[in-house]
Amino acid sequence: MTSINSGWSRRRAAAGIKASLRALRNQMSLLNHQVGARLELRDVDLDCLEIVQEHGPLTPSALARRAGLHPATVTGILDRLQRGGWVARERDPDGPDRRAVLVRALKDRNAELLGLYAGMSTALDGLLAGYDDDQLALLADFLRRTTEAGRTATEELGRD
Amino acid sequence: MTSINSGWSRRRAAAGIKASLRALRNQMSLLNHQVGARLELRDVDLDCLEIVQEHGPLTPSALARRAGLHPATVTGILDRLQRGGWVARERDPDGPDRRAVLVRALKDRNAELLGLYAGMSTALDGLLAGYDDDQLALLADFLRRTTEAGRTATEELGRD
DNA sequence: AGATACGATACGGAGAGCATATCATATGAC
DNA sequence: GTCATATGATATGCTCTCCGTATCGTATCT
């Protein structure tokens, strides 16, 4: 009895978490859209900027692969990001591949960006204050592993 | 001493969670992008479809407000979603406002959509199996409250 | 009733995204 | 080495998206 009920309630709980995850992604993307509008950047520009900030410096083609975009599309995105002072294109004449360009995230406008996320950041601070250290660690670990699962799933869909 | 160290480590933990949240949003959007590509839908189409599925049926203008888009843009998005059989536009001649259109999510292609998310869903099932009921409840509550915080932050940026 | 506001969409222009071409550089076979 | 082929980044041109505005129908207010 207990095990049956338990299995059923766990399934419900898991489904609920998946739905919440979808809703969260959607809401955060809506927030990103507002932020991008203030900065005159497209959603995809912010997506790419985030990749460069987290995984950069990298080449435009590596960025294109990671973002699932055509290399020519990335050229246009980088033009906008560079024009706005968000990234720099670096060519290294002494590098191993002189065709390659390295895209590096600049910090010049970080404060501005942080400012636009301030509302969310403050709300999160308040929310997180209600958790003890163990719970925070649990959340961090869950987010990290879910992201990793997302990366795998994305790559699987991207192949072919 | 302990309180100072504790405060400092909590701050680090909170910052880490915020960064993980950003990375997670980004990765899930990349996954969505791949899903959308398979369905010949733009990212924004999937965003809107999700809103309709979760908060619908609603009018195009309500959807535009929620998504932070121009009403004319939503017309085009709904054209694509309708053409693909994802939503239906309903006009109710007996409704309180005969100008209004109601956008309703259809279930016809739900299985197809679920299939594209299957990789992520399975990975999540495995991940969630490692948590007990209390931990699942903690995660669900965190996701729900974070989404709510995101909604507030988005609305604040959207006003003006 | 008339004036005004609002919902949805048509239309046109600016620009995004991408397939392809181009040019420079790398890599491999011989 | 030399030639052929592959690869990185970007230019070019085409299609489609997004959005400002106009339009049409309906609702609301006085």
Side-chain angles (χ1 to χ4, degrees), chain A residues 21-29, chain B residues 28-29 32 47 50:
Chain A
L21 219 40
R22 289 247 303 276
L24 174 61
R25 202 260 349 144
N26 191 249
Q27 191 59 56
M28 299 287 276
S29 288
Chain B
M28 300 286 277
S29 289
N32 251 27
D47 287 347
E50 222 167 291

Side-chain angles (χ1 to χ4, degrees), chain B residues 31-118:
Chain B
L31 174 58
N32 251 27
H33 179 74
Q34 294 295 337
V35 169
R38 302 285 189 114
L39 301 172
E40 301 191 354
L41 293 175
R42 321 241 115 235
D43 291 6
V44 70
D45 299 349
L46 279 182
D47 287 347
C48 287
L49 177 58
E50 222 167 291
I51 293 176
V52 175
Q53 286 175 338
E54 191 176 353
H55 299 101
L58 37 58
T59 66
S61 40
L63 176 56
R65 275 189 296 275
R66 223 178 236 283
L69 296 167
H70 194 281
T73 306
V74 171
T75 297
I77 292 169
L78 290 178
D79 287 347
R80 285 194 296 271
L81 288 176
Q82 191 172 32
R83 184 151 29 88
W86 298 101
V87 303
R89 281 178 168 106
E90 300 178 352
R91 270 206 136 99
D92 180 5
D94 302 331
D97 189 338
R98 293 202 298 170
R99 294 169 303 181
V101 166
L102 269 191
V103 181
R104 184 182 304 277
L106 301 177
K107 294 171 189 155
D108 309 33
R109 300 185 70 178
N110 266 8
E112 187 180 349
L113 191 59
L114 265 275
L116 289 170
Y117 286 114

Side-chain angles (χ1 to χ4, degrees), chain A residues 75-126:
Chain A
T75 297
I77 292 169
L78 291 178
D79 286 348
R80 286 193 296 272
L81 287 176
Q82 191 172 32
R83 183 150 32 88
W86 298 102
V87 303
R89 281 178 169 108
E90 299 177 354
R91 270 207 134 99
D92 180 5
D94 302 330
D97 189 338
R98 295 201 297 168
R99 294 168 305 181
V101 165
L102 269 191
V103 181
R104 184 183 305 277
L106 302 177
K107 294 170 190 157
D108 309 33
R109 300 185 70 178
N110 265 10
E112 189 179 350
L113 192 58
L114 266 270
L116 289 170
Y117 287 114
M120 183 65 191
S121 182
T122 303
L124 261 181
D125 283 333

Side-chain angles (χ1 to χ4, degrees), chain A residues 1 5 11 19 30 32 37 66 74 79 85 99 102 108 120 123 125 135 149 158:
Chain A
M1 274 310 169
N5 276 339
R11 224 169 274 202
L30 263 37
N32 251 27
R66 223 180 237 282
V74 170
D79 286 348
R99 294 168 305 181
L102 269 191
D108 309 33
M120 183 65 191
D125 283 333
Q135 292 172 325

